[in-house]
Amino acid sequence: MSANKAKTHPIPITATKSAHVPDMDAYRQLVAEAEADYSGYWSRLAREFLSWKTPFTQGLDDSRAPFFTWFEDGTLNVSYNCLDRQVERGLGDKTAIIFEADDGQVTRIDYRELLARTCRMANVLKARGVKKGDRVVIYMSMSIEGVIAMQACARVGATHSVVFGGFSAQSLRDRIQDAGAVMVVTADEQVRGGKQLPLKAIVDEAIALGGCESVANVLVYRRTGGAVGWNASRDRWLHDEMQAQSPACEPEWVGAEHPLFVLYTSGSTGKPKGVQHSSGGYLLHAALTTLWTFDLRPDDVFWCTADIGWVTGHTYITYGPLALGATEVIFEGVPTYPDAGRFWKMIQDHRVSVFYTAPTAIRSLIKAAEADESVHPKRYDLSSLRILGSVGEPINPAAWEWFHQHVGGGHCPVVDTFWQTETGGHMITPLPGATPLVPGSCTLPFPGIAAAIVDETGNDVPNGQGGILVVKKPWPSMIRTIWGDPERFKSSYYPPELKGCYLAGDGAIRDAGTGYFTITGRIDDVLNVSGHRMGTMEIESALVSCTELVAEAAVVGRPDETTGEAICAFVVLKRTRPSGEEARQIADKLRHWVAREIGPIAKPKDIRFGDNLPKTRSGKIMRRLLRSVAKGETITQDTSTLENPAILEQLAQKN
Ligand code: WT7
């Protein structure tokens, strides 16, 4: 798709009144400032946005490229910047978090109380032996306590690693082990869509799998009071522990490069990688993008619907909004419970003014609203909304228009924010008030981000021609390394042929006229299903680990109307190829197996059985052909190099 043909939306008037970046001239001025003195530009912002214990003397240090550092000799504490600072500024009584539980019950917490509870929890961590530099795994539901756990780690200088509550015991074990965590923070259960789902039991199962000997303590937040197994030498109730601690805790001042967190994400090969982020550079971009991209104002009510288990929740729930002293909504449940009007009702009830969500959610709520008028956004008072945001995957123009029209009443800018776990914060995004919007385009780089499109040899391609999305200069919130694997960091993100550019892993095209970016999707074997990132290799490994049944498996993505992409698995069984009811039963068994190995989000939507897979004579699986088969396309490509061309017809049959 070319951005040229799409309709340009005039900048809605509500956004232009005194926006932080008020017009394109202001945008260009910032871009020019960064071009003139790159390190100086970010250093100016780092001084303005963050409170330093010891000021830094140097911005960027590129002497150990691609291991770049920012503000390295400065010291600070992230939780001080998010909490104490707000209380010192007189915002102690301001609501920090409005929490809405799955059942609709609302809890508010102000900055003073959030600080006190973070301090209590930080003291619990210290009392249980957690020291600066230790890793703490957080396996929690969406809750105020989840945010407090992250902030408490930051306060004592521990590096947190949040694992999304939908991952299996096996995945959790792998992450605990890779991080060498000394503690796990969890809840007894989580509540989603009216159902109570286990968390503590999965932690027990993960530890029982072995390899988690580093874990000395498991802290358990009591959410539901449901029955849990208990190991008295290891398990502690969070409320008991916090009660016994003081609500004051001196922050641990750390260097700007100190690892604030490691967050696991999928790559094209091997196991998930631990993306390591810094403290100073990361927090700078979290705060700066929250302010400029959402044009955040003191009286805004900000709601990011992401889970804290993903990077969006880290940057736009736990860190960015709090670093600015904002009021934000946190939601425990799911958008379709008790009905698909839940988001609209919550916007109405809490007078949400900035709403940030994912295209998948929008698409499924469009479907629901079309099927049932009573959950259509027009049935709710959404007049508090000022700005809308989208994240996680490309937003198709039709969904963009619906979001803009029916949720935003035609007057709220939609910011389509492109970024990644590795980038820490927004990379390419409109700035409301400044950037004319084009549905389906994430528009222009955030001021100071050197995004570009190149060919396989790292040379620029002209606008209007697609290529590989790269970032030509290091930026403050970029990934620092892959936890424990610096070589994999280098080869994944700085391949030699790209001449020192950061490789994002996406394809992109710039409009010939406007220079606007449109992301065309991953160029590696990474899938994006409902905004969840997964490696095809991971799912293949999970399938073939079912050794009783599976001989061989290949996984590809195919476009899906609601989830963006859907997982399609081609499987060769150890027994003869099943059909009919039997095939469906085995497919279900394999879906369960994958859910157990990775998590329910990795379950293949389609499973097709074949006597073999399409291979070249040298034995290489032709994924390109499998992608066509998955889409239901007639194969027009040349199949003469195939060892077994007839197999394609067999694989085209659905179960
Ligand atoms: C991948 C990163 C960004 C935080 C949540 C996902 C895709 C993300 C957009 C967008 C088109 C997008 C890319 C990217 N993606 N945002 N606005 N338009 N594609 O983080 O799990 O690290 O996934 O999500 O393919 O590489 P992630």
mmCIF file of all heavy atoms in Angstrom, residues 91-132:
data_model
loop_
_atom_site.group_PDB
_atom_site.id
_atom_site.type_symbol
_atom_site.label_atom_id
_atom_site.label_comp_id
_atom_site.label_asym_id
_atom_site.label_seq_id
_atom_site.Cartn_x
_atom_site.Cartn_y
_atom_site.Cartn_z
ATOM 1 N N LEU A 91 2.787 16.894 44.243
ATOM 2 C CA LEU A 91 1.758 16.041 43.630
ATOM 3 C C LEU A 91 1.392 14.838 44.503
ATOM 4 O O LEU A 91 0.771 13.884 44.020
ATOM 5 C CB LEU A 91 2.234 15.548 42.256
ATOM 6 C CG LEU A 91 2.513 16.616 41.196
ATOM 7 C CD1 LEU A 91 2.995 15.979 39.890
ATOM 8 C CD2 LEU A 91 1.271 17.464 40.930
ATOM 9 N N GLY A 92 1.770 14.886 45.786
ATOM 10 C CA GLY A 92 1.525 13.742 46.672
ATOM 11 C C GLY A 92 0.079 13.286 46.701
ATOM 12 O O GLY A 92 -0.209 12.086 46.758
ATOM 13 N N ASP A 93 -0.855 14.241 46.639
ATOM 14 C CA ASP A 93 -2.282 13.885 46.708
ATOM 15 C C ASP A 93 -2.877 13.553 45.347
ATOM 16 O O ASP A 93 -4.044 13.186 45.244
ATOM 17 C CB ASP A 93 -3.100 15.063 47.285
ATOM 18 C CG ASP A 93 -2.714 15.350 48.726
ATOM 19 O OD1 ASP A 93 -2.305 14.391 49.414
ATOM 20 O OD2 ASP A 93 -2.798 16.517 49.140
ATOM 21 N N LYS A 94 -2.091 13.725 44.302
ATOM 22 C CA LYS A 94 -2.634 13.453 42.961
ATOM 23 C C LYS A 94 -2.780 11.941 42.761
ATOM 24 O O LYS A 94 -1.900 11.164 43.149
ATOM 25 C CB LYS A 94 -1.697 14.039 41.897
ATOM 26 C CG LYS A 94 -2.235 13.888 40.487
ATOM 27 C CD LYS A 94 -1.371 14.567 39.438
ATOM 28 C CE LYS A 94 -1.978 14.307 38.052
ATOM 29 N NZ LYS A 94 -1.197 14.912 36.976
ATOM 30 N N THR A 95 -3.884 11.542 42.129
ATOM 31 C CA THR A 95 -4.076 10.119 41.836
ATOM 32 C C THR A 95 -3.027 9.675 40.822
ATOM 33 O O THR A 95 -2.887 10.280 39.762
ATOM 34 C CB THR A 95 -5.483 9.860 41.264
ATOM 35 O OG1 THR A 95 -6.430 10.292 42.237
ATOM 36 C CG2 THR A 95 -5.697 8.388 40.954
ATOM 37 N N ALA A 96 -2.296 8.631 41.168
ATOM 38 C CA ALA A 96 -1.317 8.074 40.238
ATOM 39 C C ALA A 96 -1.989 6.994 39.397
ATOM 40 O O ALA A 96 -1.880 6.983 38.179
ATOM 41 C CB ALA A 96 -0.134 7.493 41.003
ATOM 42 N N ILE A 97 -2.708 6.088 40.082
ATOM 43 C CA ILE A 97 -3.301 4.951 39.384
ATOM 44 C C ILE A 97 -4.765 4.782 39.774
ATOM 45 O O ILE A 97 -5.113 4.818 40.957
ATOM 46 C CB ILE A 97 -2.537 3.639 39.716
ATOM 47 C CG1 ILE A 97 -1.070 3.728 39.244
ATOM 48 C CG2 ILE A 97 -3.221 2.424 39.081
ATOM 49 C CD1 ILE A 97 -0.195 2.563 39.691
ATOM 50 N N ILE A 98 -5.607 4.619 38.748
ATOM 51 C CA ILE A 98 -6.996 4.208 38.946
ATOM 52 C C ILE A 98 -7.029 2.766 38.473
ATOM 53 O O ILE A 98 -6.845 2.499 37.282
ATOM 54 C CB ILE A 98 -7.964 5.052 38.083
ATOM 55 C CG1 ILE A 98 -7.810 6.542 38.390
ATOM 56 C CG2 ILE A 98 -9.398 4.569 38.270
ATOM 57 C CD1 ILE A 98 -8.502 7.462 37.375
ATOM 58 N N PHE A 99 -7.200 1.853 39.410
ATOM 59 C CA PHE A 99 -7.197 0.436 39.039
ATOM 60 C C PHE A 99 -8.622 -0.066 38.945
ATOM 61 O O PHE A 99 -9.406 0.110 39.870
ATOM 62 C CB PHE A 99 -6.420 -0.373 40.080
ATOM 63 C CG PHE A 99 -6.513 -1.861 39.870
ATOM 64 C CD1 PHE A 99 -5.824 -2.467 38.831
ATOM 65 C CD2 PHE A 99 -7.312 -2.650 40.688
ATOM 66 C CE1 PHE A 99 -5.921 -3.841 38.607
ATOM 67 C CE2 PHE A 99 -7.413 -4.029 40.478
ATOM 68 C CZ PHE A 99 -6.715 -4.621 39.443
ATOM 69 N N GLU A 100 -8.974 -0.675 37.826
ATOM 70 C CA GLU A 100 -10.288 -1.303 37.730
ATOM 71 C C GLU A 100 -10.115 -2.806 37.604
ATOM 72 O O GLU A 100 -9.455 -3.310 36.696
ATOM 73 C CB GLU A 100 -11.097 -0.748 36.544
ATOM 74 C CG GLU A 100 -12.498 -1.374 36.535
ATOM 75 C CD GLU A 100 -13.521 -0.655 35.674
ATOM 76 O OE1 GLU A 100 -13.556 0.595 35.673
ATOM 77 O OE2 GLU A 100 -14.299 -1.368 35.007
ATOM 78 N N ALA A 101 -10.699 -3.512 38.575
ATOM 79 C CA ALA A 101 -10.595 -4.968 38.599
ATOM 80 C C ALA A 101 -11.522 -5.576 37.559
ATOM 81 O O ALA A 101 -12.410 -4.910 37.022
ATOM 82 C CB ALA A 101 -10.944 -5.487 39.988
ATOM 83 N N ASP A 102 -11.323 -6.843 37.308
ATOM 84 C CA ASP A 102 -12.134 -7.589 36.348
ATOM 85 C C ASP A 102 -13.626 -7.433 36.642
ATOM 86 O O ASP A 102 -14.431 -7.272 35.733
ATOM 87 C CB ASP A 102 -11.728 -9.067 36.415
ATOM 88 C CG ASP A 102 -12.333 -9.899 35.310
ATOM 89 O OD1 ASP A 102 -11.991 -9.666 34.141
ATOM 90 O OD2 ASP A 102 -13.166 -10.772 35.620
ATOM 91 N N ASP A 103 -13.985 -7.437 37.943
ATOM 92 C CA ASP A 103 -15.403 -7.345 38.314
ATOM 93 C C ASP A 103 -15.900 -5.908 38.399
ATOM 94 O O ASP A 103 -17.021 -5.660 38.824
ATOM 95 C CB ASP A 103 -15.654 -8.072 39.637
ATOM 96 C CG ASP A 103 -14.962 -7.388 40.822
ATOM 97 O OD1 ASP A 103 -14.306 -6.327 40.623
ATOM 98 O OD2 ASP A 103 -15.069 -7.901 41.946
ATOM 99 N N GLY A 104 -15.068 -4.945 38.030
ATOM 100 C CA GLY A 104 -15.514 -3.555 37.984
ATOM 101 C C GLY A 104 -15.178 -2.748 39.233
ATOM 102 O O GLY A 104 -15.367 -1.528 39.257
ATOM 103 N N GLN A 105 -14.669 -3.405 40.253
ATOM 104 C CA GLN A 105 -14.317 -2.682 41.473
ATOM 105 C C GLN A 105 -13.126 -1.753 41.211
ATOM 106 O O GLN A 105 -12.166 -2.147 40.549
ATOM 107 C CB GLN A 105 -13.968 -3.680 42.564
ATOM 108 C CG GLN A 105 -14.202 -3.100 43.947
ATOM 109 C CD GLN A 105 -13.750 -4.064 45.024
ATOM 110 O OE1 GLN A 105 -13.946 -5.272 44.912
ATOM 111 N NE2 GLN A 105 -13.141 -3.520 46.054
ATOM 112 N N VAL A 106 -13.217 -0.511 41.724
ATOM 113 C CA VAL A 106 -12.186 0.482 41.424
ATOM 114 C C VAL A 106 -11.378 0.830 42.677
ATOM 115 O O VAL A 106 -11.932 1.026 43.751
ATOM 116 C CB VAL A 106 -12.841 1.764 40.845
ATOM 117 C CG1 VAL A 106 -11.800 2.866 40.631
ATOM 118 C CG2 VAL A 106 -13.559 1.446 39.534
ATOM 119 N N THR A 107 -10.061 0.884 42.531
ATOM 120 C CA THR A 107 -9.162 1.282 43.623
ATOM 121 C C THR A 107 -8.285 2.412 43.114
ATOM 122 O O THR A 107 -7.720 2.314 42.028
ATOM 123 C CB THR A 107 -8.228 0.106 44.009
ATOM 124 O OG1 THR A 107 -9.013 -1.066 44.167
ATOM 125 C CG2 THR A 107 -7.464 0.406 45.282
ATOM 126 N N ARG A 108 -8.183 3.482 43.908
ATOM 127 C CA ARG A 108 -7.309 4.587 43.504
ATOM 128 C C ARG A 108 -6.126 4.656 44.450
ATOM 129 O O ARG A 108 -6.255 4.372 45.640
ATOM 130 C CB ARG A 108 -8.049 5.921 43.592
ATOM 131 C CG ARG A 108 -9.073 6.093 42.522
ATOM 132 C CD ARG A 108 -9.675 7.499 42.560
ATOM 133 N NE ARG A 108 -10.442 7.701 41.345
ATOM 134 C CZ ARG A 108 -11.618 7.137 41.123
ATOM 135 N NH1 ARG A 108 -12.168 6.365 42.030
ATOM 136 N NH2 ARG A 108 -12.246 7.340 39.990
ATOM 137 N N ILE A 109 -4.984 5.083 43.921
ATOM 138 C CA ILE A 109 -3.822 5.263 44.788
ATOM 139 C C ILE A 109 -3.137 6.562 44.375
ATOM 140 O O ILE A 109 -2.948 6.814 43.173
ATOM 141 C CB ILE A 109 -2.889 4.022 44.739
ATOM 142 C CG1 ILE A 109 -1.715 4.190 45.716
ATOM 143 C CG2 ILE A 109 -2.372 3.735 43.337
ATOM 144 C CD1 ILE A 109 -0.939 2.906 45.967
ATOM 145 N N ASP A 110 -2.797 7.400 45.360
ATOM 146 C CA ASP A 110 -2.125 8.653 45.014
ATOM 147 C C ASP A 110 -0.603 8.466 45.063
ATOM 148 O O ASP A 110 -0.104 7.409 45.469
ATOM 149 C CB ASP A 110 -2.612 9.816 45.894
ATOM 150 C CG ASP A 110 -2.305 9.618 47.373
ATOM 151 O OD1 ASP A 110 -1.357 8.874 47.712
ATOM 152 O OD2 ASP A 110 -3.024 10.218 48.207
ATOM 153 N N TYR A 111 0.107 9.497 44.631
ATOM 154 C CA TYR A 111 1.564 9.365 44.537
ATOM 155 C C TYR A 111 2.213 9.112 45.898
ATOM 156 O O TYR A 111 3.157 8.327 46.009
ATOM 157 C CB TYR A 111 2.177 10.586 43.835
ATOM 158 C CG TYR A 111 2.179 10.402 42.327
ATOM 159 C CD1 TYR A 111 1.147 10.903 41.537
ATOM 160 C CD2 TYR A 111 3.194 9.691 41.695
ATOM 161 C CE1 TYR A 111 1.134 10.706 40.166
ATOM 162 C CE2 TYR A 111 3.192 9.482 40.331
ATOM 163 C CZ TYR A 111 2.169 9.990 39.561
ATOM 164 O OH TYR A 111 2.156 9.770 38.201
ATOM 165 N N ARG A 112 1.675 9.751 46.950
ATOM 166 C CA ARG A 112 2.282 9.570 48.276
ATOM 167 C C ARG A 112 2.195 8.117 48.721
ATOM 168 O O ARG A 112 3.162 7.523 49.175
ATOM 169 C CB ARG A 112 1.602 10.494 49.298
ATOM 170 C CG ARG A 112 2.235 10.462 50.679
ATOM 171 C CD ARG A 112 1.656 11.502 51.627
ATOM 172 N NE ARG A 112 1.906 12.877 51.147
ATOM 173 C CZ ARG A 112 0.985 13.673 50.633
ATOM 174 N NH1 ARG A 112 -0.268 13.271 50.538
ATOM 175 N NH2 ARG A 112 1.303 14.893 50.235
ATOM 176 N N GLU A 113 1.003 7.555 48.530
ATOM 177 C CA GLU A 113 0.770 6.166 48.940
ATOM 178 C C GLU A 113 1.544 5.181 48.045
ATOM 179 O O GLU A 113 2.071 4.172 48.525
ATOM 180 C CB GLU A 113 -0.745 5.895 48.901
ATOM 181 C CG GLU A 113 -1.171 4.496 49.281
ATOM 182 C CD GLU A 113 -0.872 4.116 50.728
ATOM 183 O OE1 GLU A 113 -0.614 5.022 51.552
ATOM 184 O OE2 GLU A 113 -0.887 2.898 51.023
ATOM 185 N N LEU A 114 1.620 5.508 46.762
ATOM 186 C CA LEU A 114 2.360 4.627 45.844
ATOM 187 C C LEU A 114 3.834 4.597 46.248
ATOM 188 O O LEU A 114 4.479 3.542 46.233
ATOM 189 C CB LEU A 114 2.195 5.119 44.404
ATOM 190 C CG LEU A 114 2.717 4.193 43.298
ATOM 191 C CD1 LEU A 114 2.013 2.833 43.322
ATOM 192 C CD2 LEU A 114 2.533 4.845 41.917
ATOM 193 N N LEU A 115 4.344 5.752 46.635
ATOM 194 C CA LEU A 115 5.733 5.820 47.102
ATOM 195 C C LEU A 115 5.899 5.000 48.381
ATOM 196 O O LEU A 115 6.840 4.202 48.500
ATOM 197 C CB LEU A 115 6.135 7.285 47.347
ATOM 198 C CG LEU A 115 7.480 7.497 48.058
ATOM 199 C CD1 LEU A 115 8.639 6.908 47.251
ATOM 200 C CD2 LEU A 115 7.727 8.988 48.313
ATOM 201 N N ALA A 116 4.976 5.185 49.348
ATOM 202 C CA ALA A 116 5.096 4.476 50.629
ATOM 203 C C ALA A 116 5.073 2.964 50.412
ATOM 204 O O ALA A 116 5.877 2.221 50.984
ATOM 205 C CB ALA A 116 3.972 4.905 51.570
ATOM 206 N N ARG A 117 4.160 2.512 49.536
ATOM 207 C CA ARG A 117 4.064 1.060 49.328
ATOM 208 C C ARG A 117 5.244 0.516 48.547
ATOM 209 O O ARG A 117 5.677 -0.616 48.763
ATOM 210 C CB ARG A 117 2.727 0.712 48.693
ATOM 211 C CG ARG A 117 1.678 0.715 49.818
ATOM 212 C CD ARG A 117 0.281 0.688 49.361
ATOM 213 N NE ARG A 117 -0.054 -0.487 48.564
ATOM 214 C CZ ARG A 117 -1.225 -0.621 47.935
ATOM 215 N NH1 ARG A 117 -2.116 0.336 48.001
ATOM 216 N NH2 ARG A 117 -1.485 -1.699 47.245
ATOM 217 N N THR A 118 5.757 1.327 47.623
ATOM 218 C CA THR A 118 6.955 0.901 46.896
ATOM 219 C C THR A 118 8.128 0.770 47.875
ATOM 220 O O THR A 118 8.922 -0.178 47.790
ATOM 221 C CB THR A 118 7.284 1.914 45.778
ATOM 222 O OG1 THR A 118 6.186 1.943 44.862
ATOM 223 C CG2 THR A 118 8.554 1.539 45.043
ATOM 224 N N CYS A 119 8.217 1.712 48.813
ATOM 225 C CA CYS A 119 9.291 1.651 49.804
ATOM 226 C C CYS A 119 9.158 0.403 50.684
ATOM 227 O O CYS A 119 10.141 -0.286 50.947
ATOM 228 C CB CYS A 119 9.281 2.898 50.693
ATOM 229 S SG CYS A 119 9.915 4.352 49.835
ATOM 230 N N ARG A 120 7.937 0.124 51.126
ATOM 231 C CA ARG A 120 7.729 -1.087 51.941
ATOM 232 C C ARG A 120 8.187 -2.326 51.174
ATOM 233 O O ARG A 120 8.876 -3.185 51.709
ATOM 234 C CB ARG A 120 6.246 -1.257 52.276
ATOM 235 C CG ARG A 120 5.772 -0.430 53.446
ATOM 236 C CD ARG A 120 4.339 -0.839 53.806
ATOM 237 N NE ARG A 120 3.686 0.176 54.603
ATOM 238 C CZ ARG A 120 3.756 0.232 55.946
ATOM 239 N NH1 ARG A 120 4.437 -0.675 56.615
ATOM 240 N NH2 ARG A 120 3.142 1.194 56.602
ATOM 241 N N MET A 121 7.780 -2.371 49.921
ATOM 242 C CA MET A 121 8.139 -3.549 49.124
ATOM 243 C C MET A 121 9.652 -3.597 48.879
ATOM 244 O O MET A 121 10.258 -4.673 48.908
ATOM 245 C CB MET A 121 7.390 -3.524 47.798
ATOM 246 C CG MET A 121 7.861 -4.583 46.855
ATOM 247 S SD MET A 121 6.565 -5.698 46.356
ATOM 248 C CE MET A 121 7.531 -6.994 45.633
ATOM 249 N N ALA A 122 10.244 -2.424 48.655
ATOM 250 C CA ALA A 122 11.701 -2.372 48.463
ATOM 251 C C ALA A 122 12.398 -2.895 49.721
ATOM 252 O O ALA A 122 13.383 -3.649 49.644
ATOM 253 C CB ALA A 122 12.138 -0.941 48.161
ATOM 254 N N ASN A 123 11.855 -2.540 50.884
ATOM 255 C CA ASN A 123 12.436 -3.030 52.135
ATOM 256 C C ASN A 123 12.249 -4.541 52.289
ATOM 257 O O ASN A 123 13.110 -5.218 52.846
ATOM 258 C CB ASN A 123 11.830 -2.282 53.333
ATOM 259 C CG ASN A 123 12.379 -0.854 53.439
ATOM 260 O OD1 ASN A 123 13.548 -0.601 53.085
ATOM 261 N ND2 ASN A 123 11.553 0.080 53.900
ATOM 262 N N VAL A 124 11.140 -5.046 51.772
ATOM 263 C CA VAL A 124 10.942 -6.510 51.784
ATOM 264 C C VAL A 124 12.032 -7.170 50.934
ATOM 265 O O VAL A 124 12.658 -8.148 51.340
ATOM 266 C CB VAL A 124 9.543 -6.890 51.236
ATOM 267 C CG1 VAL A 124 9.431 -8.399 51.045
ATOM 268 C CG2 VAL A 124 8.436 -6.371 52.154
ATOM 269 N N LEU A 125 12.265 -6.613 49.754
ATOM 270 C CA LEU A 125 13.281 -7.189 48.868
ATOM 271 C C LEU A 125 14.629 -7.231 49.584
ATOM 272 O O LEU A 125 15.322 -8.241 49.583
ATOM 273 C CB LEU A 125 13.408 -6.378 47.568
ATOM 274 C CG LEU A 125 12.187 -6.308 46.650
ATOM 275 C CD1 LEU A 125 12.509 -5.518 45.378
ATOM 276 C CD2 LEU A 125 11.704 -7.697 46.262
ATOM 277 N N LYS A 126 14.970 -6.096 50.218
ATOM 278 C CA LYS A 126 16.269 -6.028 50.911
ATOM 279 C C LYS A 126 16.316 -7.031 52.065
ATOM 280 O O LYS A 126 17.317 -7.733 52.239
ATOM 281 C CB LYS A 126 16.521 -4.605 51.423
ATOM 282 C CG LYS A 126 16.831 -3.638 50.277
ATOM 283 C CD LYS A 126 17.646 -2.455 50.728
ATOM 284 C CE LYS A 126 16.765 -1.418 51.392
ATOM 285 N NZ LYS A 126 17.467 -0.133 51.589
ATOM 286 N N ALA A 127 15.212 -7.088 52.834
ATOM 287 C CA ALA A 127 15.178 -8.001 53.985
ATOM 288 C C ALA A 127 15.329 -9.450 53.533
ATOM 289 O O ALA A 127 15.851 -10.288 54.262
ATOM 290 C CB ALA A 127 13.867 -7.819 54.755
ATOM 291 N N ARG A 128 14.871 -9.737 52.329
ATOM 292 C CA ARG A 128 14.986 -11.103 51.805
ATOM 293 C C ARG A 128 16.244 -11.285 50.952
ATOM 294 O O ARG A 128 16.332 -12.202 50.129
ATOM 295 C CB ARG A 128 13.732 -11.471 51.000
ATOM 296 C CG ARG A 128 12.493 -11.636 51.864
ATOM 297 C CD ARG A 128 12.629 -12.812 52.818
ATOM 298 N NE ARG A 128 11.557 -12.832 53.811
ATOM 299 C CZ ARG A 128 11.561 -13.623 54.885
ATOM 300 N NH1 ARG A 128 12.575 -14.441 55.102
ATOM 301 N NH2 ARG A 128 10.569 -13.580 55.743
ATOM 302 N N GLY A 129 17.179 -10.373 51.142
ATOM 303 C CA GLY A 129 18.506 -10.585 50.564
ATOM 304 C C GLY A 129 18.700 -10.129 49.130
ATOM 305 O O GLY A 129 19.739 -10.409 48.533
ATOM 306 N N VAL A 130 17.722 -9.433 48.551
ATOM 307 C CA VAL A 130 17.900 -8.970 47.167
ATOM 308 C C VAL A 130 18.828 -7.757 47.170
ATOM 309 O O VAL A 130 18.591 -6.786 47.889
ATOM 310 C CB VAL A 130 16.544 -8.604 46.522
ATOM 311 C CG1 VAL A 130 16.745 -8.005 45.137
ATOM 312 C CG2 VAL A 130 15.642 -9.829 46.459
ATOM 313 N N LYS A 131 19.861 -7.827 46.372
ATOM 314 C CA LYS A 131 20.859 -6.759 46.323
ATOM 315 C C LYS A 131 20.895 -6.124 44.931
ATOM 316 O O LYS A 131 20.407 -6.694 43.961
ATOM 317 C CB LYS A 131 22.243 -7.329 46.658
ATOM 318 C CG LYS A 131 22.356 -7.852 48.091
ATOM 319 C CD LYS A 131 23.745 -8.374 48.404
ATOM 320 C CE LYS A 131 24.224 -9.482 47.460
ATOM 321 N NZ LYS A 131 23.448 -10.730 47.489
ATOM 322 N N LYS A 132 21.532 -4.967 44.889
ATOM 323 C CA LYS A 132 21.744 -4.281 43.615
ATOM 324 C C LYS A 132 22.341 -5.260 42.590
ATOM 325 O O LYS A 132 23.296 -5.975 42.914
ATOM 326 C CB LYS A 132 22.707 -3.117 43.854
ATOM 327 C CG LYS A 132 23.077 -2.358 42.599
ATOM 328 C CD LYS A 132 24.040 -1.239 42.929
ATOM 329 C CE LYS A 132 24.624 -0.651 41.660
ATOM 330 N NZ LYS A 132 25.648 0.355 41.945
#
